Amino acid sequence: MKFGYFDDNKREYVITTPLTPFPWINYLGMKDFLSLISNHAGGYCFYKDARLRRITRFRYNNVPLDMGGRYFYIKDNEDFWSPSWMPTRKVLEFYECRHGLGYTIITGRRNGVEVEQTFFVPVDENCEIHYLKITNKSTQPKDLTLFSLIEFCLWNALDDMTNFQRNLSTGEVEIEGSVIYHKTEYRERRNHYSFYSVNVPIDGFDTDRDTFLGLYRGFDAPLAVENGKSFNSEAHGWAPIASHMIKISLQPGEAKELVFVLGYVENDEDKKWLKKGVINKEKAYKMIEKFKNPEDVQRSFENLRLFWSNLLNKFNVLTGIDKVDRMVNIWNQYQCMVTFNLSRSASYFESGIGRGMGFRDSNQDILGFVHQIPERARERILDLAATQLEDGGAYHQYQPLTKRGNNEIGSNFNDDPLWLILSTAHYIKETGDWSILDEIVPFENDPQKAASMFEHLRRAFYHVVNNLGPHGLPLIGRADWNDCLNLNAFSTNPDESFQTCDNKDGKTAESVMIAGMFVYVGKEFVKICERLGKEDIAKDAQYHIEKMKEAILNYGYDGEWFLRAYDYFGNKVGSKENDEGKIFIETQGFCVMAGIGLDDGKAISALDSVKKYLDTEHGIVLVQPAFTEYKIHLGEITSYPPGYKENAAVFCHNNPWIMIAECIVGRGDRAFEYWSKIAPSYREEISDVHKLEPYVYCQMIAGKDAYKPGEAKNSWLTGSAAWNFVAMTQWILGIRPDYDGLLIDPCVPREWKGFTVKRVFRNAIYNIQVKNPDGVSKGVKKVVVDGKEMSSNLIPAFSDGKEHFVEVIMG
C-alpha cells in the first residue's frame, strides 16, 4: 500500500493523505540553520546544535503523535481548522504534502478555502520562511481569521525538559509591530535571540502559551482560535510562544499571500542593546526586509532549487529503471547531505539532546557527501581530527556548536580511529588535494598538542597496532562499529548505558571486524605513505597488515565464514560452536572487502553463507540465530527482542558491505538483488508494512524473527545513506575515484545492456556510456576516451574544465 508517489520531474515525494503510518519528515537548511518538518508541519528548528541552540520546542513520544510544530489555524465562522491537518485533525476536502529538496509544501482545503504553505530555509540565511497563499475557491465571499503559532524553546533543549523550576520563570519577549522577539536569558549570558514576523499589520497577538491555549487545552483547540480573537498576552516566565492574528476577507477566486519569517540573530557583546531592556534588532530588521514581498520569497526559493540542481548535477545516472535512477540521482544524494549536516543528532528517532556528532558516523557520512561540496568535507575531516586523542584514539562524539569532544560519551571504541583514514583517503581521491595532510591540527582541541594531519593518520593506524589481543587481533575496547556488542561491559544495572558504564579492564576481547577493517583501510594508509615518499612507514605498515591477514586466516575463520570476535574469556563469538549468534554480517563484508580469502575460496564461502543463513525478503539480517536471552558477556545486542536492532534486524548500514564484497568477487546480480531489497523506492509498494519514508534509507528493518518483519525504524540519519550510495555508484555502477583518476569498473546484473553516467570530477565533466553487449556482470575489455582507445580502465584526471566522452565496453 502506498501513501503517495514520486514526482521525479519536480524532485518531490508527494504525500496524498495525512494518515501516514508514521510522520514522514523532511529537512530544511544546508549548514547552520537547520529544521525538521513532518508532513503535518510538525518538528522544530535550531542553530548548529539541536541541544544547545534549540529555537522551537518539540516533544518526542507525545500523545497524540507529532504534536508541536509550525502551525496555522483558519477560523471560518464557527469552524476552525489547520491546513496541515495537525494539530486540529479536522477532515480536509483536499490534502497534499510535497517534500522537496530543502523545502516542504503542504496544502489543505476545507469549506472552499485552500491554504498552500511553503516552508524552506533560504541559502545562506539563518531563518525559516513560511509562505502562505490563501485562496477562496468557493462561490461565496469569505471573512476569515488566521492565527499563527510557534512555541519557543528555552535554548538548551535538555535544560528545557528538566529544569522547570528555573525555566518557567525566565521567559521574556518583546513585541514590536508585527514581530514577536524571544529574548529569554539574553539579559544575562546570551547574545542571541529569535523572532517570528509577518509582512502585514496584525490584528492581535499572543506570546503566553497558557493564555493562548486556555487552561487544560491543547494545540488542537486553542481558546483564542475558538473565540476568534487573540488575548494580546505578553509572556513573563512560563512558556513563550509567538502567535499572530490576521483578519482576511476574500471574494470568490481571490487569494492573499503572507510571508512569515522565523529567524535567529547573534549580536556582538558590545552591540546587544538598543537601550536598557530593548534588544538590538538591526540584524532582524535586515533579514525581515529581505523577505517582505512574495516576489522576494520566490527569488529565494528559486535560488534554493538552483543550489540543489547544481549539486545533483555532479553525479547523474540513466539506467532506464525509474526506481534506481530516482534513488541515485535525487534522494540518496539528498539524504547524504542531510546526514553530513547532522550526523545522528536530530531526527524523529534522535532527540538532538543525547548525542552530538559521531566520530565514526561523521567520517562515514563523508564517503557519500565528498563529491557534493568537497571544501566542507575537508573542514569536517579537520574538525574530527582535532578531537582525536594523542594516542590515536578518539572521542566517540563531539558537539557541533563547540566542535569539542563530548566527555559524556568518552572514547575507547577501537574502530573509531580507522574511519579517519578512510574518509581522508576518499577526500584525496575525490579532489586530488594532498595538502590536507600538511595541515597542522590539534589533538584534543589543544593547540599545544598539534601535529600534521598525516601524523593524525599515522597515530590512528598504530592505535590498532598498539592494542592487540592474544590472537594478534585488535582489542575491541568498549565496542567496534556494532555499539551493542559490549564484550567488556558485564552490565547488570538497568539504569546505566552499555556505552558509558564501567568496563572490565580485560586484554582478551578481540574484534575480527576491526581486523578486517584494519587491512581494508590500512592499504589506503600505505598508498598515502608511498605517495608522500615515506617508504619506511609504508614498509612497516605493510608488515603489520600482513601480520593481521595472517591472524585473521589463522584465528578469524570458522570453516564457512569469518568469526565475529573473541569475548572477555577468549571464547569465539559468531562461530558454529555458539548456540545462538553463529554468524554475523559485519566480518563477511569487511574481510572480503579487504581481499582476504579471495585466492583460496574463503571469501566465496563466507558470502555464500550470508546468502544461506542471513538473507531474507527484506534484506540481510545482522546475525543468526537471533539471541533469545540476555548474555551478560555479549552486552546490549542480546537485550533486544529477536529481530530488532542489532539482534537480527536488517541493518541497512552494513548490507552495502556485502554488496561491495559481491562486486569484488564479480557477482553483480546478487549485489543488485541485495541493493534493491532495502532501497526505499523498491519498498514504496509496502509502505503500510515498512511504515517509514519511502524516499530515504532507515537504519534498520525488523528481521524475520521479529513480531512485525519488514517494519522499519530510525530513518534519515544513518550511515545507510553514504554506504548505499558508495555501493551503488562506485561498485555496482563502478564509477570510482582513485588517486590518479577515475576508475571505471562496473559490476552489474547480467541482463543490463548498459547505462550512462554524467560525473563531475576534479574540474572536468565525464560523460560515460557503458555498454554490456555480452551480458556479463563484470569485466572491461575496451575503453575509449574522446575517440582514443585507452590502455586501462583508469581515466586520467583531466582537471581542464572541459567535457570528456568515455565509452566503456564490458566483456
Side-chain angles (χ1 to χ4, degrees):
M1 179 179 178
K2 299 199 298 183
F3 298 86
Y5 61 91
F6 286 97
D7 186 335
D8 293 332
N9 289 332
K10 291 186 176 180
R11 295 170 173 164
E12 295 173 342
Y13 192 82
V14 185
I15 302 167
T16 54
T17 170
L19 297 174
T20 49
F22 196 79
W24 287 0
I25 75 167
N26 194 13
Y27 284 84
L28 315 179
M30 273 79 67
K31 192 173 181 184
D32 293 337
F33 193 104
L34 299 163
S35 307
L36 297 76
I37 183 167
S38 73
N39 56 310
H40 310 124
Y44 61 93
C45 58
F46 57 93
Y47 178 76
K48 288 188 178 180
D49 191 313
R51 172 172 170 174
L52 300 179
R53 290 290 183 274
R54 183 77 65 93
I55 296 171
T56 56
R57 215 183 232 130
F58 189 74
R59 296 163 183 82
Y60 289 85
N61 295 325
N62 207 354
V63 178
L65 190 66
D66 198 24
M67 184 62 74
R70 57 286 275 163
Y71 291 145
F72 294 96
Y73 303 85
I74 300 292
K75 183 71 186 292
D76 182 3
N77 292 319
E78 296 306 308
D79 185 38
F80 64 89
W81 55 282
S82 293
S84 55
W85 187 70
M86 288 287 274
T88 61
R89 303 187 299 282
K90 297 285 184 68
V91 174
L92 300 175
E93 297 165 5
F94 174 82
Y95 165 90
E96 181 182 85
C97 172
R98 288 181 170 266
H99 283 321
L101 307 182
Y103 67 88
T104 288
I105 302 172
I106 303 176
T107 303
R109 185 171 67 238
R110 181 177 167 94
N111 298 331
V113 176
E114 183 170 284
V115 182
E116 180 184 273
Q117 310 158 93
T118 301
F119 303 93
F120 70 98
V121 171
V123 178
D124 297 327
E125 286 288 349
N126 293 325
C127 67
E128 189 176 295
I129 302 297
H130 305 163
Y131 167 62
L132 269 62
K133 184 177 181 180
I134 306 155
T135 305
N136 180 3
K137 296 212 165 185
S138 75
T139 59
Q140 302 296 320
K142 289 282 186 178
D143 291 316
L144 310 170
T145 305
L146 173 81
F147 294 85
S148 66
L149 176 66
I150 59 106
E151 184 179 13
F152 291 114
C153 181
L154 300 178
W155 307 106
N156 184 322
L158 178 61
D159 197 47
D160 181 56
M161 291 175 53
T162 55
N163 195 357
F164 304 117
Q165 62 85 26
R166 172 175 168 78
N167 288 346
L168 295 179
S169 296
T170 58
E172 290 187 281
V173 299
E174 284 185 33
I175 303 99
E176 185 180 274
S178 299
V179 189
I180 297 167
Y181 296 88
H182 179 221
K183 61 178 186 179
T184 297
E185 290 193 331
Y186 185 82
R187 185 165 51 86
E188 305 93 57
R189 298 174 294 171
R190 299 188 184 277
N191 69 332
H192 44 265
Y193 61 85
S194 59
F195 65 86
Y196 196 37
S197 71
V198 63
N199 67 331
V200 297
I202 58 176
D203 298 293
F205 65 86
D206 276 298
T207 67
D208 179 73
R209 187 190 69 202
D210 293 342
T211 303
F212 175 76
L213 294 180
L215 286 175
Y216 307 110
R217 287 172 173 254
F219 293 132
D220 58 327
L223 185 60
V225 177
E226 189 175 282
N227 290 342
K229 184 175 177 59
S230 295
F231 293 99
N232 294 344
S233 60
E234 295 189 26
H236 296 279
W238 297 106
I241 63 167
S243 175
H244 308 88
M245 183 184 84
I246 303 166
K247 292 185 179 297
I248 301 171
S249 295
L250 296 173
Q251 293 299 313
E254 187 181 2
K256 175 81 171 179
E257 296 172 278
L258 299 173
V259 180
F260 293 82
V261 180
L262 174 57
Y264 172 88
V265 169
E266 289 184 355
N267 284 328
D268 294 336
E269 283 293 328
D270 60 347
K271 295 181 179 178
K272 284 181 64 172
W273 302 100
L274 180 63
K275 60 182 180 180
K276 185 174 181 179
V278 179
I279 60 178
N280 181 350
K281 306 179 182 71
E282 181 180 354
K283 291 182 179 179
Y285 293 156
K286 290 180 179 178
M287 196 182 299
I288 293 167
E289 180 69 17
K290 287 182 180 180
F291 304 102
K292 68 177 182 179
N293 298 313
E295 296 78 15
D296 302 323
V297 172
Q298 191 60 39
R299 278 194 298 272
S300 183
F301 186 67
E302 290 305 316
N303 285 340
L304 175 67
R305 298 184 79 147
L306 181 62
F307 171 88
W308 275 105
S309 290
N310 290 336
L311 274 189
L312 297 187
N313 279 338
K314 294 186 175 183
F315 191 105
N316 200 273
V317 65
L318 182 60
T319 65
I321 306 172
D322 289 345
K323 292 178 180 179
V324 174
D325 295 349
R326 67 171 56 114
M327 284 310 304
V328 177
N329 296 335
I330 305 170
W331 294 100
N332 198 177
Q333 293 193 66
Y334 180 50
Q335 187 181 3
C336 284
M337 165 68 97
V338 173
T339 57
F340 174 84
N341 283 332
L342 290 159
S343 188
R344 310 295 172 267
S345 62
S347 72
Y348 267 36
F349 295 88
E350 297 282 5
S351 70
I353 295 172
R355 297 185 65 168
M357 307 284 279
F359 188 91
R360 157 200 311 144
D361 300 329
S362 295
N363 276 297
Q364 289 177 90
D365 294 338
I366 286 168
L367 309 184
F369 169 81
V370 64
H371 71 289
Q372 292 182 326
I373 311 179
E375 56 271 25
R376 285 192 65 194
R378 188 184 203 273
E379 178 187 11
R380 177 63 54 77
I381 290 169
L382 296 174
D383 285 344
L384 289 163
T387 69
Q388 192 180 11
L389 306 177
E390 283 190 280
D391 68 353
Y395 283 106
H396 198 48
Q397 296 173 12
Y398 77 97
Q399 291 303 129
L401 189 68
T402 64
K403 296 186 177 181
R404 300 189 68 86
N406 190 340
N407 284 311
E408 295 177 15
I409 301 298
S411 60
N412 204 29
F413 295 79
N414 283 349
D415 66 308
D416 274 353
L418 293 174
W419 297 109
L420 185 64
I421 300 175
L422 189 61
S423 67
T424 305
H426 272 247
Y427 169 78
I428 295 172
K429 288 178 179 181
E430 178 67 35
T431 64
D433 175 21
W434 292 85
S435 71
I436 190 174
L437 299 174
D438 298 323
E439 291 282 349
I440 303 301
V441 185
F443 288 97
E444 300 182 62
N445 299 108
D446 184 350
Q448 302 301 314
K449 306 174 183 176
S452 70
M453 184 64 195
F454 174 80
E455 177 62 16
H456 281 260
L457 301 190
R458 191 193 70 82
R459 294 193 196 184
F461 180 87
Y462 283 97
H463 184 270
V464 175
V465 174
N466 296 332
N467 288 277
L468 300 178
H471 298 97
L473 298 166
L475 294 172
I476 197 169
R478 284 195 172 274
D480 55 26
W481 172 88
N482 189 334
D483 282 323
C484 297
L485 188 61
N486 315 118
L487 305 184
N488 293 305
F490 293 88
S491 177
T492 58
N493 181 359
D495 300 319
E496 67 184 7
S497 163
F498 285 95
Q499 276 73 56
T500 58
C501 67
D502 289 338
N503 269 216
K504 290 184 179 293
D505 189 24
K507 300 295 184 185
T508 52
E510 299 166 295
S511 167
V512 180
M513 184 205 150
I514 298 178
M517 187 182 173
F518 177 80
V519 176
Y520 177 69
V521 175
K523 293 177 181 179
E524 303 297 342
F525 180 66
V526 169
K527 290 176 184 176
I528 288 171
C529 291
E530 291 172 343
R531 288 293 293 261
L532 297 179
K534 300 180 183 293
E535 297 295 340
D536 290 343
I537 300 176
K539 184 177 180 180
D540 187 66
Q542 188 62 45
Y543 166 79
H544 291 294
I545 290 169
E546 295 302 325
K547 291 280 288 182
M548 192 67 73
K549 285 183 186 176
E550 185 179 336
I552 292 171
L553 290 171
N554 288 338
Y555 303 108
Y557 195 73
D558 201 48
E560 294 180 71
W561 58 80
F562 292 97
L563 289 173
R564 183 59 179 82
Y566 284 89
D567 67 18
Y568 178 84
F569 304 104
N571 298 319
K572 295 176 182 178
V573 178
S575 166
K576 58 177 179 281
E577 298 174 11
N578 303 130
D579 58 337
E580 296 176 337
K582 294 175 181 289
I583 177 172
F584 285 70
I585 187 175
E586 301 101 307
T587 42
Q588 319 318 319
F590 256 105
C591 288
V592 178
M593 287 163 65
I596 298 167
L598 292 179
D599 56 352
D600 60 6
K602 289 184 173 64
I604 291 292
S605 177
L607 294 176
D608 286 347
S609 295
V610 168
K611 185 66 176 174
K612 181 177 180 180
Y613 298 110
L614 301 179
D615 186 33
T616 74
E617 64 176 308
H618 297 293
I620 308 167
V621 297
L622 190 145
V623 64
Q624 279 291 297
F627 296 103
T628 59
E629 60 183 8
Y630 178 52
K631 297 181 184 294
I632 192 172
H633 65 291
L634 299 182
E636 186 175 1
I637 187 173
T638 65
S639 71
Y640 291 108
Y644 293 99
K645 288 283 283 181
E646 282 78 1
N647 189 15
V650 175
F651 249 70
C652 299
H653 187 146
N654 55 33
N655 272 230
W657 301 341
I658 301 299
M659 300 170 202
I660 294 170
E662 288 288 359
C663 287
I664 288 171
V665 301
R667 300 196 293 202
D669 288 285
R670 190 171 286 182
F672 183 74
E673 175 195 344
Y674 289 147
W675 182 87
S676 60
K677 282 185 176 182
I678 64 171
S681 58
Y682 275 81
R683 297 182 62 79
E684 183 192 17
E685 298 287 346
I686 57 166
S687 288
D688 53 326
V689 175
H690 187 78
K691 287 195 173 183
L692 297 186
E693 298 91 340
Y695 42 91
V696 292
Y697 285 95
C698 58
Q699 180 203 66
M700 61 140 280
I701 300 168
K704 61 183 181 180
D705 303 288
Y707 178 68
K708 294 182 179 179
E711 182 181 68
K713 287 188 176 74
N714 204 355
S715 59
W716 278 100
L717 301 187
T718 163
S720 306
W723 275 111
N724 276 279
F725 187 73
V726 169
M728 170 52 75
T729 62
Q730 298 189 16
W731 293 93
I732 296 175
L733 299 177
I735 315 298
R736 194 156 63 247
D738 209 337
Y739 297 108
D740 294 309
L742 201 59
L743 188 68
I744 315 296
D745 185 25
C747 186
V748 298
R750 283 169 290 184
E751 67 180 20
W752 282 21
K753 299 304 180 185
F755 59 88
T756 61
V757 167
K758 175 188 174 184
R759 178 65 154 93
V760 177
F761 176 68
R762 298 194 199 174
N763 192 34
I765 299 172
Y766 294 73
N767 295 296
I768 304 164
Q769 183 175 30
V770 176
K771 297 178 180 179
N772 187 19
D774 298 330
V776 300
S777 275
K778 193 177 178 70
V780 172
K781 66 181 180 182
K782 185 177 181 181
V783 177
V784 178
V785 179
D786 296 332
K788 180 181 178 182
E789 187 167 348
M790 307 293 289
S791 59
S792 80
N793 58 341
L794 181 64
I795 314 302
F798 293 106
S799 304
D800 56 7
K802 298 179 181 179
E803 283 195 80
H804 298 273
F805 297 88
V806 182
E807 184 182 38
V808 178
I809 308 298
M810 296 182 65

